[in-house]
Amino acid sequence: MTHDTGTPALRIDLGSDTSTRPTPGMLQAMIAAPLGDEQMGEDPTTRALEERTADLLGQESAVFLPSGTMCNQIALLVHCRPGDEIICAQQAHVYGSEGAGAAALAGAFIRPVEAPGGIFDGEAVARALRPERPRAPRSRVVVVEQTSNRGGGAVWPLATIADVSRRARACGLALHMDGARLLNAVVASNVEARDYGRLCDSVWLDFSKGLGCPVGAVLAGPRDFIAEAWTWKHRLGGAMRQSGILSATCLYALDNNVARLAQDHDNARLFAARVAQIEGVRLTFPRVETNIVFIDVRETGRTAPDILRGLRLQGIRLSLEGEHTLRAVTHLDIRADDVEQAASALAAVLRAAPQVATS
Ligand SMILES: *Cc1c(COP(=O)(O)O)cnc(C)c1O
């Protein structure tokens, strides 16, 4: 991270829902947490979080991990043997944003499928399967990402996941859910997390996204799956000690930060409605279902990096998704007034002359 002097302080960070800071209530929960050695099974706070998350996700057991990426990678390590094939959407985080971990760690490879809005159905799984021949790779696991990040926060309908689950299981494949933003889907769809979760053979939640925690994710599945996951947690150096100091924030978030995700969704829709009124600006996904907004700036004649620089000079951050695409993500540190300001700033940047790149 560069700290070039002269860049105004960041006031409104729509770059990601990972940018939240712990609230006083959350910090208090950390201070008050009973602690022990997690590796000995002696941290009562982490045990409580694991049990509560397993129950929430309709699974038998769960394990606390440092990150969502480690949840995905450990799940693939448990499900796959070297040479196995993983089916997921071409936009999936596990495909494009985890350093090819599936290949580097599990020795598995990914077969991305076309998925408009990040979502595919049972038919797509069937089409991706190979004829059963000794020389064909063995398809082993299907990954669904709830919500779909690169699908603009789209929610997988329960019926679609049920369809994918049926197809996958009928063919001997496991279904894994990347639930980085599963609770956003729960709040947006009014479907319980366990109703999504029990269709899956493994599923996880990220606490460092919309739930507002600094660190942490929980991977859930059947008891024997989680026992295997523990072996990998040790191998990869993800086994911690007094991790209750972290899991206390996650328990706090489950109590306090779930229902309020609806506000993030309202703010995302408000932001989308405002920016859609700016000349030349279009929404990549006109229907904003959760907390993510993709903005297409091609018709403004300006590039996305140029617009980002202009916004940053006003203390506002969005993220870069492509040469002509920006992403804005709402979260617990963003109020309605912030998105109004950010939309006005975007209009102002587009009226002004392009910024000359300095780096
Ligand atoms: C952020 C994210 C991850 C990875 O989570 P980390 O906690 O950042 O490792 C995985 N999948 C999706 C869809 C994400 O948005």
Side-chain angles (χ1 to χ4, degrees):
M1 188 128 287
T2 55
H3 294 277
D4 43 345
T5 46
T7 304
L10 191 56
R11 291 185 298 123
I12 302 174
D13 193 351
L14 292 162
S16 172
D17 47 4
T18 56
S19 70
T20 55
R21 297 293 183 273
T23 56
M26 186 175 273
L27 292 168
Q28 210 51 51
M30 295 175 87
I31 291 170
L35 303 174
D37 189 326
E38 173 205 270
Q39 295 189 20
M40 314 286 279
E42 289 172 357
D43 190 293
T45 309
T46 295
R47 300 269 314 243
L49 175 68
E50 289 167 343
E51 274 171 33
R52 183 159 169 194
T53 309
D55 180 58
L56 179 70
L57 299 179
Q59 298 286 344
E60 277 177 1
S61 189
V63 57
F64 185 54
L65 292 168
S67 71
T69 300
M70 199 182 279
C71 290
N72 272 340
Q73 293 307 321
I74 287 183
L76 296 177
L77 282 158
V78 177
H79 287 306
C80 300
R81 295 293 162 269
D84 283 353
E85 184 175 63
I86 298 155
I87 295 168
C88 69
Q90 62 187 10
Q91 303 90 329
H93 193 280
V94 74
Y95 181 48
S97 303
E98 298 185 12
L105 302 173
F109 73 108
I110 291 183
R111 177 115 186 251
V113 299
E114 246 179 76
I119 293 169
F120 54 86
D121 59 11
E123 266 310 305
V125 174
R127 277 197 304 275
L129 292 175
R130 319 247 182 195
E132 226 174 279
R133 292 183 198 151
R135 66 174 188 237
R138 183 177 74 139
S139 304
R140 182 64 198 107
V141 53
V142 178
V143 179
V144 299
E145 185 179 297
Q146 181 72 304
T147 64
S148 170
N149 179 352
R150 290 239 150 76
V155 176
W156 284 69
L158 186 64
T160 307
I161 299 177
D163 179 35
V164 167
S165 175
R166 246 186 329 268
R167 289 292 186 128
R169 286 169 172 181
C171 303
L173 279 70
L175 181 63
H176 170 71
M177 179 180 283
D178 171 338
R181 296 187 181 81
L182 171 58
L183 294 184
N184 292 85
V186 165
V187 168
S189 65
N190 254 319
V191 172
E192 288 199 36
R194 66 172 58 80
D195 290 336
Y196 290 118
R198 65 178 157 224
L199 295 170
C200 305
D201 299 287
S202 50
V203 48
W204 61 270
L205 281 187
D206 210 330
F207 289 89
S208 66
K209 299 272 166 82
L211 293 175
C213 301
V215 177
V218 175
L219 173 65
R223 224 172 287 287
D224 55 347
F225 174 91
I226 295 301
E228 276 289 297
W230 257 104
T231 302
W232 281 107
K233 173 168 153 119
H234 279 287
R235 279 186 188 135
L236 298 177
M240 297 171 272
R241 298 297 179 182
Q242 288 75 28
S243 61
I245 201 143
L246 300 174
S247 47
T249 69
C250 305
L251 286 166
Y252 178 88
L254 288 177
D255 287 334
N256 297 281
N257 294 349
V258 178
R260 63 150 309 286
L261 290 170
Q263 293 167 34
D264 298 345
H265 303 170
D266 288 345
N267 288 338
R269 274 188 286 270
L270 175 62
F271 182 67
R274 290 285 187 273
V275 300
Q277 289 168 356
I278 303 170
E279 202 184 319
V281 172
R282 292 190 310 110
L283 300 173
T284 308
F285 305 100
R287 192 159 151 248
V288 174
E289 293 183 68
T290 55
N291 66 330
I292 302 176
V293 182
F294 275 67
I295 303 167
D296 184 335
V297 295
R298 186 178 293 274
E299 287 168 18
T300 65
R302 301 271 291 274
T303 67
D306 163 47
I307 293 170
L308 281 184
R309 275 192 297 276
L311 285 172
R312 187 62 191 81
L313 288 174
Q314 301 194 42
I316 296 169
R317 176 151 68 197
L318 268 64
S319 63
L320 183 69
E321 278 296 321
E323 192 54 15
H324 298 281
T325 311
L326 303 170
R327 187 188 75 159
V329 188
T330 56
H331 52 76
L332 157 137
D333 291 350
I334 293 291
R335 293 161 301 138
D337 176 53
D338 295 323
V339 300
E340 301 259 19
Q341 279 192 49
S344 303
L346 177 60
V349 166
L350 287 169
R351 279 193 304 268
Q355 293 293 324
V356 178
T358 52
S359 55

